Amino acid sequence: MLRPTVLPFSEIQPAPVSRPSLPWLGTAADRWLLLLLLLLLAGGSRLLYGELGQGPAMVDIYVGKRPFASYPLGESRRVAVPGEAGETIIDIADNHVQFLSSPCRGQQCVHAGARHAAGEMLVCVPGRIMVTIRGSEARRIDAVAE
Amino acid sequence: MSEMATLDDHRRTARWLALLLLAVGLHIFEASMPNLGPWLKPGLANIVTLLALPLLGVRAACTLALARVVIGALFSGTLLTPTFIISLAGALAATLIMAVAWQALPMFSLVGISLFGAVAHMLAQFVVVEALFIQQHALYYLLPPLLLLSLLTGWINGVIAEYVTRRIGIR
């Protein structure tokens, strides 16, 4: 059972090998694939997030390959970061961090808004700036907020 | 192979061009849509790549995806910017894995093929962003929620492609 590589045009095409009877359900193989991917994703996230969250809540700022600075999430301050697109302002206030302004064209980092929980992240691709939050206290703040 | 192009050849070319226009249109529509998040797009243009697999075959689907990304970037003014490089990497990875899956795994319908494409698209984008722009492993903390969403949009796109192939007579 091989698929026809190209279907003929002059005649009504033969049916491809796998057609679900109801399109939104997919074939049995489609559903197994979805289940497998979901399980892989769940296992992967556990591994990935397991190492996060030690120590106090900190904001880490990276420019390109290098760490630029780390600040406590609890202390309000405004940081000017020399990104590749120019000077970018990052604001830490009220246990939240956000891009206040950026010289980049898309402004997606500014529109992304504020972040507060461990593992959350803000990125400005043109400026090559990444802001991440880590620490168990950031988690507790999150739990209280919810 | 004869020198003269047959009617079927012309039909193939016309179909390829029609799909390309549809793909470019969806690509631009998506680029101008309100952002749901920095790297979150429903991947509507990928539906056209899915349609090209049964309609035109594997090679035409690959050229279609490549042409769509380049022409779409010309229209949206992002040619050779980071946006372009990221979307090119995503589209190429998705198309290649969908082409291989379409040929080698006949038990999957377009819905399953679309899932392969969605996951490949997201992973390729992360690898490219990590390699070229951000270079921090912490970037991968963003991956799980985005992958979950890409499974959802991938499934929906596959279903749309299934419906369309039915409507245009590939029973």
Side-chain angles (χ1 to χ4, degrees):
Chain A
M1 90 163 187
L2 264 174
R3 291 186 208 270
T5 45
V6 176
L7 298 177
F9 291 82
S10 41
E11 294 159 32
I12 292 294
Q13 285 93 4
V17 180
S18 301
R19 304 311 301 263
S21 47
L22 296 169
W24 58 89
L25 286 179
T27 61
D30 295 340
R31 293 192 290 273
W32 280 111
L33 177 64
L34 180 63
L35 186 66
L36 178 73
L37 289 173
L38 283 173
L39 287 175
L40 278 176
L41 186 57
S45 331
R46 273 185 69 104
L47 278 177
L48 194 63
Y49 293 136
E51 63 188 65
L52 267 180
Q54 265 124 49
M58 295 292 285
V59 176
D60 295 330
I61 302 173
Y62 303 88
V63 179
K65 270 187 177 176
R66 288 189 318 279
F68 174 75
S70 285
Y71 303 107
L73 185 62
E75 293 172 18
S76 296
R77 57 158 52 78
R78 201 159 279 188
V79 192
V81 182
E84 278 193 11
E87 194 179 71
T88 303
I89 310 294
I90 292 168
D91 191 50
I92 305 174
D94 194 22
N95 285 313
H96 284 66
V97 60
Q98 65 176 320
F99 276 88
L100 214 56
S101 73
S102 166
C104 66
R105 185 162 167 241
Q107 296 288 309
Q108 289 179 341
C109 50
V110 178
H111 294 152
R115 294 285 182 277
H116 62 101
E120 285 193 305
M121 174 174 317
L122 291 161
V123 175
C124 179
V125 174
R128 296 183 69 199
I129 298 171
M130 185 172 76
V131 177
T132 64
I133 303 173
R134 66 178 152 89
S136 54
E137 279 165 35
R139 257 198 197 151
R140 229 175 294 137
I141 291 164
D142 197 33
V144 170
E146 280 166 11
Chain B
M1 200 176 158
S2 70
E3 295 293 309
M4 285 267 289
T6 64
L7 189 54
D8 266 8
D9 291 338
H10 290 311
R11 282 191 177 138
R12 274 183 65 78
T13 311
R15 211 175 262 200
W16 190 87
L17 281 169
L19 285 178
L20 177 64
L21 291 181
L22 183 59
V24 168
L26 285 172
H27 189 95
I28 295 166
F29 170 71
E30 234 175 16
S32 55
M33 248 172 45
N35 269 316
L36 304 168
W39 298 327
L40 185 59
K41 287 195 297 178
L44 296 174
N46 204 42
I47 296 173
V48 182
T49 312
L50 282 170
L51 292 177
L53 288 171
L55 285 174
L56 293 169
V58 164
R59 279 188 56 184
C62 293
T63 54
L64 190 72
L66 188 63
R68 178 252 296 179
V69 173
V70 174
I71 296 173
L74 282 175
F75 276 108
S76 58
T78 53
L79 196 64
L80 302 179
T81 62
T83 315
F84 169 77
I85 296 165
I86 295 167
S87 94
L88 183 66
L92 283 184
T95 307
L96 287 178
I97 199 159
M98 290 196 304
V100 170
W102 175 256
Q103 289 254 285
L105 304 168
M107 67 290 271
F108 292 111
S109 73
L110 287 178
V111 180
I113 304 290
S114 176
L115 281 184
F116 278 115
V119 171
H121 193 273
M122 189 58 80
L123 288 176
Q125 290 192 332
F126 264 81
V127 169
V128 165
V129 170
E130 208 264 350
L132 296 183
F133 302 114
I134 302 295
Q135 285 152 342
Q136 287 297 330
H137 297 307
L139 192 69
Y140 289 106
Y141 292 133
L142 274 179
L143 196 49
L146 288 177
L147 267 179
L148 190 62
L149 285 167
S150 78
L151 288 180
L152 180 72
T153 57
W155 190 274
I156 293 171
N157 289 345
V159 170
I160 294 172
E162 271 294 330
Y163 267 114
V164 173
T165 53
R166 262 163 221 232
R167 286 289 297 176
I168 58 181
I170 311 168
R171 291 187 310 108

